[in-house]
Amino acid sequence: MHQSQTLSRRRLIACWILGPVYAAFGVVHLLATQAFLPIMPPWVPAPVLVIQLTGLAEIAGGLGLLVPRLRPWAGLGLAAYAIGVYPANLHHAFGGIDVPGLPGGLWYHIPRLALQPVLVWLALWAGGWRFGKQAAARP
């Protein structure tokens, strides 16, 4: 198999894993909006609406990864989403906030925070965005 075919297959697999996972988490944001309120930084306006909008963004991005012509935009949107929710993750990690049903402590939060940039990259990569030499070689 040619290297670009292998890369394409890996991206497709990533789309079919990330897409449903993001969509499912989006549904959770919509069904359990109140559960996410404690981790919202106090400076976020209209926190219920923001949680609902992030849920819709996750659903749209997840489903978008499954539609070839929408993949680049879905990947970009999910990367922006992962950056946008980072302040809430920081607030949760360092604000001493206990959320029932979620683990606490730095053993949970530090890896989660460290993996957030990986999720940004993975969303972009799954969406077909190219980096480094690949980007330079794009016609």
Side-chain angles (χ1 to χ4, degrees):
M1 187 177 293
H2 190 269
Q3 184 179 3
S4 66
Q5 290 173 321
T6 302
L7 183 60
S8 295
R9 181 169 288 173
R10 288 180 185 159
R11 284 180 198 249
L12 186 60
I13 291 168
C15 288
W16 281 95
I17 292 171
L18 287 176
V21 168
Y22 268 111
F25 278 115
V27 170
V28 171
H29 275 82
L30 295 179
L31 296 178
T33 302
Q34 297 297 318
F36 290 92
L37 280 174
I39 70 169
M40 292 297 284
W43 50 265
V44 173
V48 170
L49 178 61
V50 169
I51 293 166
Q52 292 168 339
L53 290 174
T54 60
L56 292 173
E58 285 178 298
I59 292 168
L63 295 177
L65 284 179
L66 304 180
V67 179
R69 71 173 199 264
L70 298 178
R71 266 186 204 135
W73 297 111
L76 191 61
L78 288 171
Y81 162 82
I83 293 167
V85 299
Y86 204 70
N89 293 341
L90 288 168
H91 182 65
H92 185 199
F94 300 111
I97 299 163
D98 182 40
V99 177
L102 284 180
L106 293 180
W107 67 269
Y108 165 75
H109 290 294
I110 296 299
R112 180 179 180 203
L113 292 171
L115 285 176
Q116 199 83 5
V118 174
L119 289 175
V120 171
W121 176 85
L122 190 56
L124 291 170
W125 181 79
W129 295 91
R130 298 175 183 215
F131 307 94
K133 292 180 185 177
Q134 285 182 342
R138 182 184 263 183

